[in-house]
Amino acid sequence: MKDISWDAYQIFLAVARHGGLTGAAQANGLSPATVGRRVLDLEQGIGRQLFARSQTGYRLTADGQALFEQLQAMDAVVRKVDGWRQEAHGASVVRLMAGTWVTWLVCENIQAIWSERDGFRLDMSVSERRATLAHRQGDVGVRAVAPEEPHLASRHTGDVAYAAYRQRNAPDGLSSAWLAVSEEDAISPYLRFPHQQAAASIAVIVSRPRSLLDLTRAGAGQAVLPCFVGDLDPGLERAGEELKQLRHGQWIVTNNEDRHRREIRTVSERLFRLLKSHADLFAGKRPSRSL
Amino acid sequence: MKDISWDAYQIFLAVARHGGLTGAAQANGLSPATVGRRVLDLEQGIGRQLFARSQTGYRLTADGQALFEQLQAMDAVVRKVDGWRQEAHGASVVRLMAGTWVTWLVCENIQAIWSERDGFRLDMSVSERRATLAHRQGDVGVRAVAPEEPHLASRHTGDVAYAAYRQRNAPDGLSSAWLAVSEEDAISPYLRFPHQQAAASIAVIVSRPRSLLDLTRAGAGQAVLPCFVGDLDPGLERAGEELKQLRHGQWIVTNNEDRHRREIRTVSERLFRLLKSHADLFAGKRPSRSL
DNA sequence: CTTATGTCTTTCATAAATGAAAAACATACT
DNA sequence: AGTATGTTTTTCATTTATGAAAGACATAAG
């Protein structure tokens, strides 16, 4: 019984997961031809057929399934090792926690925040909840309330204004119906507004704020959106004045202890610059549409 | 952060266990040069130095020790997989590696080594080369030199004596010609003897030692044979005294790690008993022909 | 001290593995 | 039915990895 080369197990797992050679080849940086050969070799070494082959891909046999399950533990070890490697490299991940719309703006302007040459990975996590950066869940946060936590450092970027938006030039009948996220998901004041002010007129309930924008653009009704989102969209117009009771400040927060970490400083500086350059837009002063 | 090829981990473990490249190379069926390169590559991939290198071997660094400990779980998975592989084959093969004449003796006494009721298959592999059991090529080996490899367990069975043999009562003219295997196949000292002592008198060259016995019995000349072969054959007699310079010891070897395998223990115990019961015969003390 | 031995590292020729491309085939769409 | 698409398998030229051998070096023995 000859020893099996462990990379054969690695390739086997990839084929099993992707259900074929093409996906596995991409994941492992090999060609489909090579992956096919390696799997054949493994089957010979094991003495069992591990996959049922078809023109549309590979399916695990019972024996293949047995091996797949056994090898999960191996994969778990490698994940732990990878975590240890990352640790060994100091901090090659920066985790950014922000709400739906700031995350959207960052994505639209990603080249201003991150490039491949930076040598770290950017993880962006969307949450409407207050970014506490607790338990090191995040490194940089964007929030609507100035932090009082002593371990957090913050920088004020400006105010955020809100208004109701509807489809531009929409027929009048539909545009008065309200679009809202569900009450249980309505964490922020702007998300709660339709429930508090026009509950009987809510025509559609969605689970994500991004869906509000989509529906509004499609003419399904009106929704409360941040001005920097609504005013930037050529398919939307304001359905009324700014809703001044919803206005709030905006802060970028980091952990005091992370000040020395270059990657975190880099990201928070760049983010501050991005938000500051959009300060008027955030505050509800209408842009010229040339941005 | 690039994925690490899992066979690199396999090689790392071997180097760590053997404390150097040479042992790991043997265990993995690679050359020391290759192992050294692979470990360098791994250190680059991990971004840490894993070994302190010296001319006397490799010692784990603190980082290397951390990785070593993490990878024990991976090794454990592979052992389980190997158990499953064996199970898939019904744990049903024991591979015996021995020279021509021991293999012959085993065949003559097969009921003492193996029966169908044992529930495993016996594979017998003839090789004049030293049985290293490397790369799991064999499970039980018989060899002429005591093993120094730390992963091999051995038991001494006794000495093997050699003499020149000819056809019994042969006419004098033919019996002085020598029979030999070819020089390139003459791996063992006894096979080299005719080339070294009587090269000009070699009448016939064969490729297999078994042919020496056949030719000698047919009266074609004289050949060096182990005493346990020549003395047992009623058609042969010694052509001279024991060739004392050819005498050597004999050991049965198994892999330390295979100790727990019942079939391997069974075969090596039985083999030991067989060879031990023939110890006098092997040592050149003449039998009574009633065996 | 010198010599022998064992081990690692480097170089170079060779073997093995690889990927690109073509062929074959299955499935989905028109 | 014909066409388009996606996937696998096979072939062949190229690339990569490998091992043999030489050199360098450390350690042990005489």
Side-chain angles (χ1 to χ4, degrees), chain B residues 69-91:
Chain B
E69 278 157 20
Q70 285 183 88
L71 294 182
Q72 293 307 305
M74 223 167 162
D75 199 54
V77 172
V78 167
R79 288 212 193 168
K80 278 185 71 178
V81 169
D82 283 347
W84 172 78
R85 278 167 80 200
Q86 203 121 9
E87 204 180 291
H89 283 268

Side-chain angles (χ1 to χ4, degrees), chain B residues 181-199:
Chain B
V181 297
S182 64
E183 249 183 301
E184 68 201 11
D185 294 325
I187 295 165
S188 313
Y190 86 94
L191 295 174
R192 289 201 290 271
F193 182 87
H195 295 281
Q196 290 163 353
Q197 304 297 333

